[in-house]
Amino acid sequence: MKCPECGQWNRASMPHCTRCGAPLNIDAASRLEWKDSLRDEGQSTAYIRVDEFGSEDRTPDSRDVLAREMQELKIRKREGESRKQKMLEHSPGARGISVEETEKTGPEGEEHRTIRMKRVSPEGVAAEREAEIRHRVRYMDDTGTFLEPRSYDPVYDRDTEERTPYSFASSLGNRLPSRARRRRKILRVFGVLLLIAALGAGGYYTWRYFSERRTVPDYQSAASVTATMMDDLAAHTILIPGEDGNQIYIRELHASYVVSDGFATVQVADHTWYDNYEGTLEETMDVTLTPFLKTAAGKQTPLEPITYTIFIPLSPITLDSPDSLRTEVATTMSTIQITVRPGSRVTVNGVDCSDTVSSETGVMSYNATVQPIGDNVFEIRVRSQYCRDNAISVTLYRAPQEIPLDLAVGTYGTTYQKVMKVSATTLPGAYVEVNSPYSDLDITSLDSTGKFTFNAVFDHIGNNTISITASYPGRKPSVVEHTVYYVPPANEYTVKAWPLSAEGYSELLSNLAYRASYGQVYVVTGVVQYSVSEKPQMVVINTSEDGKSQPVLVQNYSRTTWEVGQYYRLYADAYSTYNSMPWLNARYTYTK
């Protein structure tokens, strides 16, 4: 623009003429006020940063913050220059008017004040303005209004509060350095506080950064695998790290699991891996899970496979009869009894016998045909649910025979009848002899076919042995023995029972051998005190009314398993003694 004093052309942004120094009437800064109206007063640009874990950080750009502060500083500077210019224009000296004030004291001591105003030249105005600035200080309040002018010269004594006159030079020399020192001290304190605040903010954000880093799940870290129980069966619990809300898909399980509290919890029963496996299972098996991370957008990211080892339990099997895995027998038929888990698959020498397993107790009885060839081996294999195969081998030894002698297939091993018809076969023309109680021996077909029959008589309750001997000239005799468990039906057995009162208990102890010889039946009532043996089951019961005396040992031949601390009513026959206690064999059990 053109200078109004000398006519020199200057840039519009220059506040003074480059030639004469005269102020330019048009404020160049005001010509740029339209730019301020276009500035966005809202929040500065925010940069969204997403790290490799998907965490978002909306932090404003520090350069935008600095630019906004610089812009505000320029605005305040322009406003200050404009206000200063207005104050100078409204001052008396700016209008070319000089104000003089004179004070006089009259004869009677009254004071008179005279104010005179005169016009002065521009050079005089400048001189007076400079002198006023050198000797007077004008203060403004918060609204920009000048307060009462104060001089540099008066200095107040801090102790007496009295005015002490100083010259302008001494006052200026004493006060200005003091103010500069105070200013420097304030700046130093402010700098220290600013430094402390910066260090504190840096420490806080550093702690926050590392704490957030610890809480963010590491997708590449190994999942934790822990052995647990699920529905009373062996299982494993796998914790897979992830971001809350995401889903972890397991390909082998065909299922998805939601991530909660930083982990997806997957519980897998061990039997899941081998339920449908038909081959031979080993004791352990290495299994692998293949997880995939599913985001909200449906994207699937494969994660590290999870491999762990499971242990496969053996199918439970208990041999109840005979007492050992190798037994010598003298009969054609022998019973093998085992106990397995209900619902198990059982095979004997490759033949499926699962249909004979009790669905309630798991007991299976197998009538084995024993040939007179020495060892007769019976391999029993069991496959229970959620278990691997288990097998036992039972050997029944029967001595080789020079004279064949066998009982008929299907001869009973238990009976409720006191008399049972028995059929047998031997070498035609052989001589047979029944060594156990019998009646009605029929040998009419012995010489032609070798068959004969008789009625076995059971003279006591419990196990009764049928014994037969076959002889032939020039050959070694053959012997066959067969055990039959005989117990009368409950309506016949229980009516013969005697009570074990105090008198009955003493009489039993005194005549135990005699009572046991023909199997006297007693009724035993009371609570099971403790167990003596599990196989066969033998317990002690106090039969007194108060349950504290008259102990008896009872062996369990019934179909009910007894529990310690439970009350029972038992019907048992006398057998022997045990630690000075009567020993009875219980045939029937009734609960309270």
Side-chain angles (χ1 to χ4, degrees):
M1 65 173 294
K2 185 176 181 180
C3 176
E5 297 293 336
C6 63
Q8 174 69 22
W9 287 94
N10 300 274
R11 293 178 58 184
S13 59
M14 299 296 293
H16 299 280
C17 179
T18 58
R19 175 183 292 179
C20 64
L24 300 178
N25 295 332
I26 300 177
D27 187 5
S30 63
R31 303 167 69 178
L32 303 178
E33 292 180 355
W34 61 271
K35 294 184 179 181
D36 296 337
S37 63
L38 300 180
R39 185 169 61 89
D40 186 6
E41 296 296 340
Q43 185 178 2
S44 61
T45 304
Y47 288 84
I48 303 176
R49 298 179 176 87
V50 182
D51 58 12
E52 63 273 26
F53 309 108
S55 300
E56 295 184 359
D57 183 14
R58 297 177 177 268
T59 305
D61 191 5
S62 58
R63 293 173 296 179
D64 289 347
V65 177
L66 180 60
R68 184 174 66 252
E69 293 178 352
M70 294 178 64
Q71 186 70 17
E72 293 175 354
L73 181 60
K74 290 180 181 179
I75 293 174
R76 291 198 303 270
K77 184 176 179 181
R78 289 198 301 267
E79 291 178 353
E81 291 291 340
S82 176
R83 181 170 292 184
K84 178 180 177 182
Q85 184 68 25
K86 290 180 181 180
M87 288 189 298
L88 291 176
E89 291 176 357
H90 289 79
S91 63
R95 296 191 297 269
I97 300 174
S98 175
V99 181
E100 294 183 358
E101 183 177 352
T102 305
E103 294 184 359
K104 293 183 179 180
T105 304
E108 298 181 358
E110 67 275 10
E111 293 183 357
H112 299 278
R113 179 176 297 178
T114 304
I115 298 176
R116 292 185 302 173
M117 302 177 65
K118 64 178 181 178
R119 292 188 174 272
V120 296
S121 63
E123 293 78 5
V125 171
E128 290 184 3
R129 184 181 304 169
E130 182 177 358
E132 182 179 356
I133 293 175
R134 289 176 54 85
H135 294 280
R136 308 288 288 180
V137 177
R138 307 186 73 189
Y139 296 90
M140 288 189 301
D141 58 11
D142 295 337
T143 62
T145 305
F146 283 103
L147 302 177
E148 181 182 356
R150 297 180 184 177
S151 175
Y152 276 118
D153 294 342
V155 177
Y156 292 92
D157 187 87
R158 293 183 179 180
D159 297 331
T160 62
E161 294 291 336
E162 294 181 355
R163 189 184 294 266
T164 305
Y166 282 89
S167 65
F168 173 77
S170 62
S171 173
L172 189 62
N174 292 336
R175 293 180 62 85
L176 288 181
S178 173
R179 292 185 177 181
R181 285 196 298 273
R182 286 198 299 271
R183 189 181 302 110
R184 287 195 298 271
K185 185 182 294 185
I186 292 173
L187 290 177
R188 284 197 297 270
V189 173
F190 179 76
V192 171
L193 294 177
L194 185 62
L195 178 61
I196 293 174
L199 292 176
Y204 168 75
Y205 285 107
T206 301
W207 168 83
R208 183 177 177 181
Y209 172 77
F210 284 105
S211 63
E212 290 180 354
R213 290 279 296 181
R214 287 195 298 269
T215 57
V216 173
D218 186 3
Y219 299 113
Q220 302 302 324
S221 63
S224 63
V225 181
T226 307
T228 56
M229 297 295 292
M230 182 177 179
D231 297 332
D232 297 331
L233 297 173
H236 281 79
T237 298
I238 302 97
L239 298 179
I240 305 176
E243 184 178 353
D244 288 359
N246 287 345
Q247 292 186 354
I248 302 295
Y249 174 76
I250 307 297
R251 182 171 62 187
E252 289 74 11
L253 304 179
H254 306 288
S256 297
Y257 302 86
V258 179
V259 178
S260 178
D261 296 332
F263 294 95
T265 303
V266 182
Q267 192 172 25
V268 186
D270 289 352
H271 65 81
T272 304
W273 302 100
Y274 54 84
D275 272 348
N276 299 322
Y277 191 82
E278 294 297 335
T280 302
L281 293 172
E282 300 296 333
E283 182 178 358
T284 61
M285 176 186 289
D286 292 331
V287 299
T288 301
L289 291 175
T290 307
F292 291 85
L293 174 65
K294 294 177 61 177
T295 62
K299 181 180 179 181
Q300 292 190 7
T301 303
L303 302 179
E304 290 294 329
I306 303 169
T307 301
Y308 60 95
T309 302
I310 63 173
F311 293 88
I312 306 175
L314 280 171
S315 300
I317 178 173
T318 304
L319 179 63
D320 300 326
S321 177
D323 295 335
S324 62
L325 294 177
R326 180 180 177 82
T327 304
E328 184 176 352
V329 299
T331 60
T332 303
M333 301 298 298
S334 182
T335 301
I336 300 176
Q337 180 175 306
I338 62 173
T339 300
V340 297
R341 183 178 296 172
S344 299
R345 184 177 62 187
V346 182
T347 60
V348 180
N349 289 342
V351 179
D352 194 349
C353 303
S354 304
D355 56 343
T356 62
V357 178
S358 173
S359 60
E360 297 180 357
T361 62
V363 176
M364 188 198 81
S365 295
Y366 177 77
N367 294 323
T369 302
V370 185
Q371 301 293 336
I373 57 174
D375 290 342
N376 292 259
V377 180
F378 300 90
E379 184 179 2
I380 304 174
R381 301 192 66 86
V382 179
R383 176 70 180 271
S384 300
Q385 190 179 19
Y386 312 139
C387 300
R388 57 192 171 101
D389 289 357
N390 193 5
I392 60 173
S393 182
V394 179
T395 301
L396 301 179
Y397 176 81
R398 184 180 178 190
Q401 297 177 341
E402 295 183 7
I403 303 174
L405 176 61
D406 291 312
L407 296 177
V409 176
T411 303
Y412 294 119
T414 61
T415 182
Y416 292 114
Q417 304 296 326
K418 191 175 183 63
V419 178
M420 183 180 74
K421 187 174 182 178
V422 178
S423 298
T425 303
T426 186
L427 184 66
Y431 174 76
V432 295
E433 182 180 2
V434 180
N435 304 318
S436 58
Y438 72 97
S439 66
D440 301 332
L441 176 61
D442 184 5
I443 58 174
T444 56
S445 300
L446 181 60
D447 292 338
S448 59
T449 61
K451 294 182 178 180
F452 61 98
T453 61
F454 63 94
N455 290 330
V457 179
F458 306 127
D459 56 357
H460 63 276
I461 296 172
N463 292 325
N464 293 260
T465 301
I466 301 173
S467 180
I468 307 172
T469 302
S471 303
Y472 195 86
R475 297 188 182 185
K476 183 180 178 180
S478 298
V479 177
V480 171
E481 292 182 349
H482 180 67
T483 302
V484 179
Y485 180 74
Y486 161 66
V487 176
N491 58 352
E492 296 180 10
Y493 183 82
T494 57
V495 296
K496 301 177 181 179
W498 290 2
L500 273 179
S501 59
E503 295 79 7
Y505 184 81
S506 300
E507 194 277 335
L508 176 60
L509 283 177
S510 302
N511 305 285
L512 185 56
Y514 176 73
R515 300 303 179 194
S517 62
Y518 65 90
Q520 176 59 50
V521 181
Y522 292 89
V523 57
V524 179
T525 58
V527 176
V528 177
Q529 300 298 318
Y530 59 90
S531 176
V532 175
S533 172
E534 294 294 334
K535 184 180 178 182
Q537 188 177 25
M538 303 174 69
V539 300
V540 174
I541 297 178
N542 290 332
T543 59
S544 61
E545 293 183 359
D546 58 2
K548 297 181 180 180
S549 60
Q550 300 178 196
V552 296
L553 177 71
V554 188
Q555 183 172 344
N556 191 1
Y557 283 93
S558 67
R559 297 181 179 180
T560 303
T561 302
W562 303 330
E563 297 180 6
V564 177
Q566 296 297 321
Y567 177 91
Y568 298 101
R569 185 174 79 254
L570 311 177
Y571 290 89
D573 48 84
Y575 175 71
S576 181
T577 59
Y578 177 84
N579 289 344
S580 303
M581 291 185 293
W583 182 346
L584 291 84
N585 295 327
R587 311 298 177 177
Y588 295 97
T589 298
Y590 298 91
T591 57
K592 188 175 182 179

